[in-house]
Amino acid sequence: MDEVITKFNFYLDNYYKQILKQIELNNVFNSFLATMDLNLLYPYLFDKNSFDEDFLNVLASLKKISGSDNFDYYLYDKLITKLISFEYFKDLNIKLKYLNEQKENYELKLFDYSFLTKFMLDRNFSISEINFVLSSYKPNKKVVLNEKLKKDESFKNQIINSKIYLECSNFLSYKKFSFNTEYFDLFTYASNFITNEYYEYSEPIYIIYYLNILNKKKKIDDMIENNLDVNEKNEVFNLLFEIKDILEKVNKLNLNISNEPSKKNIIFIEDNIQIPNEMLNNISLGMFDYKIGKHPIKLINITDYTVRVNSNDDYAVSFIENVDDVIILAFDKKDKIIEKTEEFVKLHSNKINNIMGRENYGR
């Protein structure tokens, strides 16, 4: 029955190779989410064994847009949002923990009989073959030294009580951005500020800094939950100093953020626009998203007016501030508000100019 063992070892070795590849991919995905650098993903453009066709098509479209002379920022933004919504980017830390456990189980021969039985059933081994392999395979027991059971908390306490870590925590909690639900929306809105391959306004730069710090702190938090060697501890310190540098840059930004809203007159270009009372009340009180650091969008494709957006759940309203007045333009879902506003302004530009008392309202 040597051929049965050979067959089993072949499948198990292939499984191990797949685990190693998935660990590598997982690390690439984490790096991409931290940097939004598409160059990290381009080497996998033709890897049809690891990725489905829809994902590869989106990635190919992004590469084509990035290399185009006429950069379509709106389309690029939509494709980026779609790309990072794929399952490949979800629960990466949970996946990595499982993959590392499987890697260790293979290397130390720790697979138990229940895993091996299912493993062979999934690969169409016969009952007699399974019984023979189980009788030959003797799993080791995982040995954990007593001293490793006692986690050293001193390094963790040193980090979480450090000045940089505390400043970082205060900074992240102040704006109350939600990592899980708002991450992609933040990047989506920030990308609307891109002009000539750099960010023109302070608000989106702030968002990118915020996300960068958020990712670095999350990595630190994950690391300090484990017993670290010298190199890993040095990596934690390096991350802290990188956060410190970013915080210094944040403090130099000229953000238009105010906590003192003022009463505004509401003017509708079209009378039939139905907007939820809560959103309308916030606008009438001068409670604008951009003044509290929430989705501080300024539409760059509309050059004659400064158009901003307030949002609530999945919907958004676009408007123009004009001294004590707020001119309401459009109301729609977040992913449609930009396009709808641009069409609305083209249609009603004369009426907008008349209300504002001038022929052209420049930035």
Side-chain angles (χ1 to χ4, degrees):
M1 300 288 283
D2 287 345
E3 65 273 13
V4 177
I5 298 299
T6 301
K7 175 183 174 183
F8 168 73
N9 287 334
F10 171 78
Y11 280 110
L12 199 61
D13 290 345
N14 277 342
Y15 177 71
Y16 176 66
K17 292 175 184 177
Q18 292 169 15
I19 291 294
L20 294 180
K21 184 174 182 179
Q22 287 303 314
I23 290 174
E24 177 187 346
L25 285 174
N26 192 284
N27 291 331
V28 170
F29 295 153
N30 262 323
S31 297
F32 170 70
L33 289 181
T35 63
M36 288 295 168
D37 182 3
L38 285 168
N39 290 310
L40 295 169
L41 302 180
Y42 290 153
Y44 303 97
L45 256 176
F46 304 101
D47 190 352
K48 295 183 179 180
N49 294 323
S50 302
F51 303 101
D52 62 41
E53 186 175 354
D54 192 20
F55 177 86
L56 294 177
N57 287 339
V58 172
L59 185 58
S61 297
L62 282 166
K63 185 174 183 182
K64 183 178 180 180
I65 293 173
S66 299
S68 173
D69 292 334
N70 298 316
F71 197 102
D72 188 336
Y73 296 108
Y74 181 67
L75 179 58
Y76 179 88
D77 184 50
K78 289 180 66 175
L79 289 173
I80 276 283
T81 304
K82 183 176 181 180
L83 184 80
I84 53 187
S85 68
F86 279 91
E87 289 293 327
Y88 304 120
F89 298 104
K90 295 181 179 178
D91 301 321
L92 291 179
N93 290 327
I94 295 174
K95 292 176 184 174
L96 185 59
K97 182 180 179 182
Y98 172 77
L99 291 169
N100 282 324
E101 287 175 352
Q102 294 299 87
K103 177 177 179 289
E104 182 181 34
N105 288 338
Y106 173 89
E107 293 171 349
L108 300 179
K109 201 178 180 182
L110 299 174
F111 288 122
D112 58 28
Y113 290 124
S114 60
F115 171 85
L116 294 173
T117 300
K118 184 178 185 308
F119 180 85
M120 287 185 282
L121 282 172
D122 291 343
R123 287 155 181 80
N124 299 319
F125 278 67
S126 68
I127 298 300
S128 59
E129 288 177 323
I130 291 172
N131 288 333
F132 181 78
V133 172
L134 294 180
S135 65
S136 304
Y137 188 95
K138 305 296 181 185
N140 293 323
K141 291 185 178 181
K142 190 171 184 177
V143 177
V144 182
L145 299 177
N146 288 334
E147 57 267 23
K148 287 197 174 182
L149 288 174
K150 299 177 182 179
K151 183 178 178 298
D152 180 11
E153 294 288 334
S154 60
F155 181 73
K156 176 181 177 180
N157 291 333
Q158 177 188 359
I159 296 302
I160 63 177
N161 291 309
S162 66
K163 181 181 178 182
I164 300 174
Y165 186 92
L166 292 174
E167 288 179 356
C168 166
S169 299
N170 290 335
F171 169 73
L172 294 175
S173 63
Y174 177 70
K175 292 300 174 186
K176 303 297 184 186
F177 287 134
S178 169
F179 179 80
N180 291 325
T181 59
E182 296 293 329
Y183 181 93
F184 305 134
D185 276 349
L186 287 170
F187 185 82
T188 297
Y189 276 79
S191 64
N192 285 286
F193 295 91
I194 297 177
T195 55
N196 299 326
E197 300 183 348
Y198 71 94
Y199 291 103
E200 183 177 1
Y201 307 113
S202 295
E203 295 99 324
I205 300 175
Y206 173 92
I207 292 177
I208 298 303
Y209 284 160
Y210 182 95
L211 296 178
N212 201 329
I213 292 173
L214 190 65
N215 278 292
K216 291 181 187 299
K217 181 180 179 295
K218 190 173 185 301
K219 187 172 183 179
I220 289 173
D221 290 341
D222 289 341
M223 292 181 71
I224 60 178
E225 289 302 321
N226 303 308
N227 286 311
L228 306 179
D229 59 27
V230 174
N231 290 331
E232 290 169 328
K233 288 181 179 180
N234 286 336
E235 184 178 353
V236 170
F237 285 120
N238 287 335
L239 286 168
L240 278 177
F241 284 110
E242 288 174 9
I243 288 174
K244 180 176 182 292
D245 290 340
I246 299 172
L247 283 173
E248 290 176 353
K249 293 176 181 178
V250 169
N251 292 331
K252 295 177 181 178
L253 290 177
N254 181 23
L255 292 171
N256 188 6
I257 295 176
S258 170
N259 294 319
E260 300 179 359
S262 58
K263 186 73 174 178
K264 301 286 185 180
N265 299 316
I266 301 296
I267 299 175
F268 288 93
I269 298 294
E270 289 185 348
D271 296 331
N272 60 345
I273 299 179
Q274 299 295 321
I275 301 174
N277 288 333
E278 181 185 354
M279 296 184 74
L280 204 56
N281 288 338
N282 286 343
I283 291 175
S284 69
L285 293 172
M287 298 171 62
F288 304 126
D289 285 1
Y290 79 91
K291 288 190 175 181
I292 59 172
K294 176 188 175 186
H295 303 328
I297 186 171
K298 184 186 296 182
L299 304 190
I300 65 169
N301 289 337
I302 300 174
T303 57
D304 292 332
Y305 319 101
T306 296
V307 178
R308 294 190 182 272
V309 167
N310 264 26
S311 64
N312 184 5
D313 296 327
D314 294 329
Y315 287 86
V317 57
S318 56
F319 59 89
I320 299 171
E321 290 179 75
N322 183 36
V323 193
D324 295 327
D325 302 327
V326 176
I327 303 170
I328 302 298
L329 301 178
F331 175 74
D332 211 321
K333 288 189 174 182
K334 282 182 182 178
D335 59 350
K336 297 180 180 178
I337 192 65
I338 297 174
E339 184 176 356
K340 186 169 183 177
T341 300
E342 291 173 354
E343 293 174 354
F344 186 93
V345 169
K346 288 179 182 178
L347 186 64
H348 297 287
S349 60
N350 289 336
K351 193 171 184 179
I352 294 171
N353 287 334
N354 288 335
I355 290 174
M356 299 184 73
R358 60 190 68 187
E359 293 184 4
N360 286 297
Y361 179 67
R363 287 175 177 267

